[in-house]
Amino acid sequence: MEATLLLVDDEPRVLDVMATFLQGEGFRIVTAQTGREALEVFQKHQPDLVVLDWMLPEMSGLDVCRELRRMGSVGIIMVTARTEEADKIVGLEVGADDYITKPFSLRELAARIRSVLRRTQGGGDEPSVLRRGDLTIDETKFRVWKGDQEIVLTPTEFKILVTLASRPGTVYSRLQLLQSALGETYLNYERTVDTHVSHLRKKIEDDPAEPRYIQTVYGVGYRFGERL
């Protein structure tokens, strides 16, 4: 089944060019030109991934990204002319799964879209379910439950959780977790893992200050608790 993409940019010409190319790549396209319109279109069409420009009228791309994260775990790629490392980190920390700077090739954009979709949708035919303590992690369906309550995670948070939970007790460095979650594109931004882990703990731990699941190994990285 073709994936639906929401393209958000305030320049009609840019939207037209991206939409035409990505339709040719087999995607179904819906578009928006403002932040508020993006949220309305998202709720109406429930796309699989959002390509989101940073600079938008009414609401910034960052604000839209935050709102989308509250709504669910859709894949998000931020598009911007900003090239500073700090800006990229901010984009990732508010919930974006990838970050591409202008100018970029349409083929590169399509490749990044497919990469994020693989992470968010999964590629296996057989179900793979991890049960750790009172957590149930369904890798195929990209869903997590704590007891009977479903927990909504971002794609990056989900990938970090799966990486750690797959091998309880194994210590992963920030670099290893970042590579597992985002690929090699962001290997210079290891500290963003701390933010993702902080968000994860708030969602899955009974007491984030005394975590049972995601434990810090000082000076090294993180591990998933063994005695659960």
Side-chain angles (χ1 to χ4, degrees), residues 40-174:
E40 292 172 0
V41 174
F42 177 83
Q43 291 179 318
K44 179 179 180 180
H45 294 279
Q46 296 295 305
D48 301 289
L49 183 141
V50 180
V51 179
L52 179 62
D53 191 59
W54 183 304
M55 302 299 291
L56 293 171
E58 299 182 8
M59 293 178 67
S60 72
L62 288 180
D63 288 336
V64 174
C65 187
R66 290 188 185 97
E67 288 299 317
L68 291 174
R69 277 289 161 256
R70 294 189 184 102
M71 296 179 185
S73 57
V74 63
I76 300 173
I77 298 177
M78 294 291 298
V79 179
T80 181
R82 295 174 180 264
T83 58
E84 295 297 322
E85 179 176 311
D87 292 327
K88 296 180 181 180
I89 292 174
V90 168
L92 293 172
E93 289 185 346
V94 299
D97 299 292
D98 203 349
Y99 189 109
I100 188 168
T101 55
K102 299 176 180 178
F104 56 85
S105 75
L106 292 171
R107 292 194 180 280
E108 179 186 4
L109 176 61
R112 288 174 181 257
I113 288 170
R114 291 191 175 96
S115 177
V116 173
L117 286 172
R118 281 194 296 270
R119 296 203 301 268
T120 58
Q121 296 181 340
D125 295 325
E126 295 297 321
S128 180
V129 177
L130 298 173
R131 292 182 173 85
R132 301 286 186 263
D134 56 357
L135 291 182
T136 301
I137 306 166
D138 191 324
E139 295 182 64
T140 303
K141 295 181 179 178
F142 193 81
R143 300 175 73 181
V144 178
W145 292 265
K146 184 175 182 180
D148 295 328
Q149 181 178 359
E150 185 167 3
I151 300 171
V152 177
L153 302 181
T154 70
T156 300
E157 290 167 357
F158 184 84
K159 188 63 177 178
I160 289 174
L161 179 61
V162 168
T163 299
L164 292 169
S166 295
R167 299 179 65 185
T170 299
V171 179
Y172 290 86
S173 69
R174 292 177 177 84

Side-chain angles (χ1 to χ4, degrees), residues 2-6 22-23 26-30 45-48:
E2 65 182 3
T4 298
L5 310 180
L6 168 57
L22 292 170
Q23 283 172 336
F27 297 108
R28 178 176 176 268
I29 304 298
V30 292
H45 294 279
Q46 296 295 305
D48 301 289

Side-chain angles (χ1 to χ4, degrees), residues 164 167-177 191 193-194 197 201 205 208-226:
L164 292 169
R167 299 179 65 185
T170 299
V171 179
Y172 290 86
S173 69
R174 292 177 177 84
L175 185 63
Q176 288 173 317
L177 288 174
R191 286 292 171 178
V193 169
D194 295 340
V197 168
R201 283 173 170 165
E205 301 283 0
E210 297 289 339
R212 298 170 54 226
Y213 293 108
I214 302 179
Q215 302 170 352
T216 300
V217 181
Y218 292 99
V220 184
Y222 298 98
R223 69 183 170 205
F224 198 89
E226 291 183 276

